Amino acid sequence: MLPSGLAKEIPLDYRLRTPEELDTSLGQALAAAPQDTARSGSWLFVYGSMLKDPPFSPEEQRHAVLEGWERVFCLADPKMRGTPKHPGLSLGLVQGPRCVGVAYRLSARTMREDLKGVWQREMALPFYAACWLQARTRPGPIPVLTFCTDLHGPLYEPSLSEPAMLERLATCAGENGSNAAYLEQTVQQLAEVGIPDPGLAQLALRVRAMR
């Protein structure tokens, strides 16, 4: 494994969102929905850590495709898979060719409580902006709520070089474990739900070789 000292210190200026800010953010996201979620519920599109064990019980789930978007390691993670001095990397959703993920249908009855747990897990760090997009599924198109990278946020790293990305994935670790394990778990989960990502799988092989 590479010595952790090889990872450069990267000062970050950020703070965790407060419970009040999370609640406000969730309310704003639901208010922006293209349909009456209080009656119909909503679909949540996931593309990373919630692929297999989401913190809720969905009514239905489907493979879904977002055209014009892709998942990439573009977010500095100073907490879950890194530290403030040696931030790891988390997946974000940015404009690109396409992103295949899973859409979960949340019932109107439990939707807000379900999403509250998701918000606490995914939105505490200033990684994302909640957004509504159109996803393609086999039965037909559906509007989905998902987490787009906050392009104006303090943790977005649009110009990260490939060597720097590989180094941080191979060496960084935080409260939830190593960045390498996060990458491996994501690759495995994508394969297990039937939507393997060859690009991430190749990245995992390169990180494994570095370690």
Side-chain angles (χ1 to χ4, degrees), residues 9-20:
E9 291 192 10
I10 304 171
L12 297 174
D13 182 16
Y14 78 98
R15 66 177 181 82
L16 296 176
R17 293 179 172 125
T18 66
E20 293 75 20

Side-chain angles (χ1 to χ4, degrees), residues 5 11 35 44-46 49 58 64 83 96 109 127 145 158 169 176 184 198 209:
Q35 77 278 0
L44 178 69
F45 178 88
V46 303
S49 62
T83 66
R109 181 175 54 83
F127 281 157
L145 176 62
L169 289 172
N176 290 357
E184 294 276 3

